[in-house]
Each structure stands twice: as structure tokens, then as C-alpha cells.
Amino acid sequence: MSQENFMREAIKLAEDGMRGGRGGPFGCVVVRRGEIVGRGNNRVTSTNDPTAHAEVTAIRAACAQLQTYQLTDCELYTSCEPCPMCLAAIYWARIPTVFYGNTRTDAAAIGFDDDFIYQQVPLPPEKRAIKMEPLLHTEALTTFKSWAAKTDKVRY
């Protein structure tokens, strides 16, 4: 399949999911060596899961199929430029290339405006719109110290 065909599949998943009442108009495929290894569409409203965006569901499917948590040899095709959460998931999955159809400006024009998140991320925690307060730092740090000393950990 060509890059255009992979993008058409992502767009089709967006359309199918939207028309099927599963969520917003977003679809995604993860491709490895010319083969689709993960498909996803937005399922936020049908699963009551605010993290069930198309990219996240496709990454989860690809990782399950390939039995790995890193997709370093994959490409991601998404019907829309990824939101901040999905972009972070793409980075965590180590996907080196992303192709997208619609832009975040296109998404904002139909009610999916993530600009406030982009504005909040660089702010120090105490300046964000969501109240963020440190609590039990010393107790929480013991687990981090245990991790640092753990000899059989799997780094990711």
C-alpha cells in the first residue's frame, strides 16, 4: 500500500467511527514495513474514556499485536494533527514518523480546540489552570530510590 492509501484508511476509520457513534471524527493506523499493525478511531464517548483518542487506540493495538511498547520501526497515519496527549503518546512509543491529514486549526474550527493545553504545558505547575500541589514528596521519593537501585528493571 502507498502512503496515500494508509492515510485513506485512517480517514475511513474516522468516518466509520463518527458515523457509528463511537466518538469524534478521528482515525489512525500504525504501519510497520508496509503493513497495518494497529487501527484506531476516536472512542471517547462510546467508552467514557477521555484518553481513547484515535492515535492512542491505534498505538495500543499495534503494541498488543507486536508485543512491544516501542514502535521505533513504525509510521503513524492520522486523520488529524495529534493533540498534545496523542503527541506525547507518539513520543513515548518512539514512533519516528507521523503523517496527518487535517491540522489542529481545522480541528479547532469544528469544536476540538486544544490550544489551551498547548498554552498550559510550558507553565510552571503553580501557574496552570488546574490546581497542582506537591504532597508527601519524601514518601513518594522512596519508590523512586527503589527503582534507581533495582537491578532487574526494564528501561523504557
Side-chain angles (χ1 to χ4, degrees), residues 17-35:
M18 177 194 62
R19 296 226 181 269
R22 289 186 289 280
F26 305 97
C28 181
V29 295
V30 176
V31 175
R32 181 177 183 232
R33 298 182 191 138
E35 178 187 343

Side-chain angles (χ1 to χ4, degrees), residues 29-49:
V29 295
V30 176
V31 175
R32 181 177 183 232
R33 298 182 191 138
E35 178 187 343
I36 295 175
V37 294
R39 287 178 167 79
N41 55 27
N42 184 287
R43 298 178 189 157
V44 170
T45 57
S46 61
T47 62
N48 296 315
D49 179 355

Side-chain angles (χ1 to χ4, degrees), residues 10 13-14 17 22-24 26-30 36-65 71 76-78 83 85-86 89-90 93 95:
L13 287 165
R22 289 186 289 280
F26 305 97
C28 181
V29 295
V30 176
I36 295 175
V37 294
R39 287 178 167 79
N41 55 27
N42 184 287
R43 298 178 189 157
V44 170
T45 57
S46 61
T47 62
N48 296 315
D49 179 355
T51 69
H53 288 200
E55 295 89 341
V56 172
T57 59
I59 288 169
R60 289 174 181 163
C63 288
Q65 179 169 324
L71 302 173
L76 186 138
Y77 295 78
T78 180
C83 76
M85 177 185 68
C86 293
I90 291 163
I95 298 171

Side-chain angles (χ1 to χ4, degrees), residues 2-3 37 53 74 84 95 99:
S2 68
Q3 291 177 333
V37 294
H53 288 200
C74 295
I95 298 171
F99 298 94

